[in-house]
Structures are given as C-alpha cells and as structure tokens.
Amino acid sequence: MIRVENLHKHFGGFRACDGASIEIAEGSITGLIGPNGAGKSTLFNVIAGVLPPTSGRVFMGEEEITGLPPHELFHKGLLRTFQIAHEFSSMTVRENLMMVPGGQTGETLWNTWVKRAQIAEEEAKLRDKAEEVLEFLTIDHLADEKAGNLSGGQKKLLELGRTMMVDAKIVFLDEVGAGVNRTLLRTIGDAIIRLNEERGYTFCLIEHDMDFIGRLCDPVICMAEGKVLAVGKAQEIMSNERVIEAYLGTGLKNRAKTEATAE
Ligand SMILES: Nc1ncnc2c1ncn2[C@@H]1O[C@H](COP(=O)(O)OP(=O)(O)OP(=O)(O)O)[C@@H](O)[C@H]1O
Ligand SMILES: [Mg+2]
C-alpha cells in the first residue's frame, strides 16, 4: 500500500534518513522501531508530506505521492498523528472530533445565514459520528470535557478518534504509548486491532514499548542511523543481533555523552 524507495532526508550535513526503503502492506499493522535518533519520526514526516525529502520516492499503491502536502494526503486517506498530541485544548472532546472533516457548509459566514437547515443537518450527522467514535474508544464519558484536561493517554485516544471521523485508509501513529499508563495503552491497542480488523485500516506505528509492538505488529521494521536494519516478525526482530547491537550502541553512546557532560 505504501512503498518508500531509497529515502534520504538530510539536515545540513546530517543524514537523519540515509537511504531507507520500506513497504507497508495493505491491511497490516506494521511496527517501526529503533533507538532514539534513528530517523523514524523523520521518515513519517516525509511520508506524510510534513517534510520534503532530500531524495527518494514515496508511493501509495501505484501512485507517486512524494512531497504531496498533508491536506492532499488526508483526502487520499493517509493520516498521521504526532509524537506529541496536537489537541485543541480549550475545545471539548466532542468538538475536537466534530471539527475534523473539512469543507463543512457552516465554515463561511455567508452560508451560516442562507443555509441554516443544511448546516443543522450536517452538524447533527457529525455529532452522531462523534458519538459513535467516542463509544468505540470507550471515552464517551469524556465527551464534554475540555481536551486540555485529558491525561496523556486519553489525548492519544482522542487523536485516534480524530482519524475515525474521516474514512482513513492508512494511519501513521508516532509513539502512541509515550507517557500512557498500562490500562489505557491496552485500550489503545484494542482500538487499533479493532480498527484494523473491522474497518480495514492499515497502520504503521512507531513505538518504544516492545510488549505493545509484539502484541500488535507484523511485520516489524527496525531502523538505525537513518537506515533499515531488519524487517521480520516481532520475535525475530527482538532477538536479531544487529538490532540488539544498535540499541546497545546508542545506549552506550548516550551514557558516554551523559558522563562527559557530568564531568
Ligand atoms: N529539523 C531538524 N533539524 C536538524 N536535525 C533534525 C531535525 N529533525 C530531526 N533531526 C535529527 O535527526 C535525527 C533523527 O530524528 P528523528 O526524530 O527522526 O528520530 P526518531 O527515530 O524519531 O527518534 P525518537 O525515538 O527519539 O523519537 C536526530 O538525530 C535528530 O536530532
Ligand atoms: Mg521520534
């Protein structure tokens, strides 16, 4: 469904992505792991049109989508969420969901005067849809809560909910488990599995929690230093020597850095 060919993203002389090629099969929940600074978020950003690549190509099916802006990809059903949740904190959870689908009639002042009936009808539909999404994610009790008051995990669920307000085909989730407690992480995992099985969503998710990756993802792709190191089943990847070395390597480098700073 998504094919990335020999992707480079350089920041000055630094190669955040250094010739990465990946494939995401339709209907899969593909995991993307790798030590800090491996280039995972950068790869997501390039696929999702947030950053232009230095070189390389991205395809969705047969169509090349390299460098298309996020709103065009949104209309093709390609959505991403961010490592840090981007909710509108002063709006309620329900309102955050209802504002997702673009092109609503009520958005122009003129229309709010002349097309009241149509606007009311659209709003009622959106409200029903939001209700359905909230129930699916088991956060219907939070509908009227200001999004800014949600916990980290609840914000992640809301982000997932926002992808359900439109007919997404493929969703990229960046560190959905960061700062999320165990119970909520399970709820998020369950929602991802159900969206995959019942609604045919394809997922690609970056996550550091290996239990979560192991439960959800097949295949798992491991990146290190801007390159793809290994692809395979979760168990294989986690026992792969090169993968372990990459994690240990950055662990050691980071420790050396901390010690040097401490001195
Ligand atoms: N806009 C930027 N300008 C300069 N360097 C950047 C920029 N964005 C990312 N980098 C660098 O590129 C490298 C890869 O970053 P990236 O965020 O893709 O890593 P990651 O695999 O998502 O790591 P993490 O697991 O910590 O989120 C890092 O060393 C980072 O400092
Ligand atoms: Mg990242």
Side-chain angles (χ1 to χ4, degrees):
M1 178 168 215
I2 296 286
R3 200 168 78 248
V4 176
E5 288 180 359
N6 197 21
L7 190 97
H8 283 262
K9 179 65 193 176
H10 303 170
F11 297 107
F14 182 76
R15 297 164 172 245
C17 287
D18 191 14
S21 298
I22 67 164
E23 282 186 24
I24 301 165
E26 187 166 0
S28 71
I29 305 180
T30 299
L32 182 57
I33 66 166
N36 296 120
K40 307 179 298 292
S41 295
T42 305
L43 181 69
F44 265 31
N45 281 332
V46 172
I47 296 173
V50 180
L51 290 173
T54 305
S55 64
R57 301 169 86 187
V58 185
F59 293 86
M60 184 173 184
E62 291 306 306
E63 191 188 352
E64 180 162 5
I65 57 165
T66 319
L68 287 187
H71 68 269
E72 278 185 40
L73 296 170
F74 177 91
H75 287 295
K76 293 182 188 298
L78 187 156
L79 274 62
R80 73 153 289 175
T81 67
F82 291 85
Q83 197 163 344
I84 299 168
H86 279 43
E87 84 290 349
F88 293 90
S89 49
S90 62
M91 292 168 73
T92 68
V93 168
R94 182 188 285 110
E95 287 163 347
N96 263 274
L97 291 177
M98 288 177 65
M99 68 178 289
V100 174
Q104 291 165 39
T105 315
E107 279 173 3
T108 62
L109 187 61
W110 171 249
N111 281 343
T112 56
W113 285 98
V114 295
K115 294 189 179 166
R116 286 198 180 170
Q118 193 183 335
I119 293 162
E121 197 180 311
E122 276 177 17
E123 267 202 26
K125 270 193 202 145
L126 276 178
R127 186 170 284 269
D128 287 349
K129 178 88 186 165
E131 229 47 69
E132 185 199 319
V133 168
L134 290 168
E135 268 171 44
F136 186 97
L137 296 174
T138 66
I139 49 170
D140 33 336
H141 58 291
L142 297 173
D144 296 311
E145 189 65 63
K146 293 254 191 296
N149 295 338
L150 301 184
S151 74
Q154 289 166 339
K155 283 179 186 170
K156 292 287 183 179
L157 271 176
L158 176 57
E159 279 228 51
L160 201 54
R162 287 164 60 86
T163 72
M164 295 173 61
M165 290 300 290
V166 289
D167 290 321
K169 293 196 180 80
I170 176 155
V171 179
F172 291 82
L173 300 172
D174 197 347
E175 296 206 19
V176 76
V180 175
N181 72 45
R182 286 275 133 201
T183 319
L184 260 183
L185 190 57
R186 181 151 276 278
T187 310
I188 292 172
D190 291 345
I192 291 172
I193 292 170
R194 280 185 59 199
L195 283 170
N196 174 255
E197 288 176 354
E198 296 170 20
R199 309 208 179 179
Y201 277 35
T202 301
F203 283 97
C204 182
L205 48 100
I206 297 176
E207 187 43 60
H208 286 293
D209 185 318
M210 292 302 159
D211 292 338
F212 187 78
I213 288 281
R215 176 159 94 97
L216 268 73
C217 301
D218 184 22
V220 174
I221 300 168
C222 179
M223 276 182 80
E225 298 183 349
K227 294 184 171 71
V228 172
L229 206 59
V231 185
K233 295 214 175 285
Q235 287 315 318
E236 290 162 24
I237 293 299
M238 286 174 210
S239 56
N240 179 309
E241 263 179 44
R242 295 179 66 201
V243 172
I244 296 169
E245 233 168 69
Y247 272 92
L248 286 177
T250 28
L252 292 176
K253 268 185 229 156
N254 286 343
R255 191 160 4 129
K257 227 188 269 174
T258 325
E259 279 166 8
T261 332
E263 280 166 14

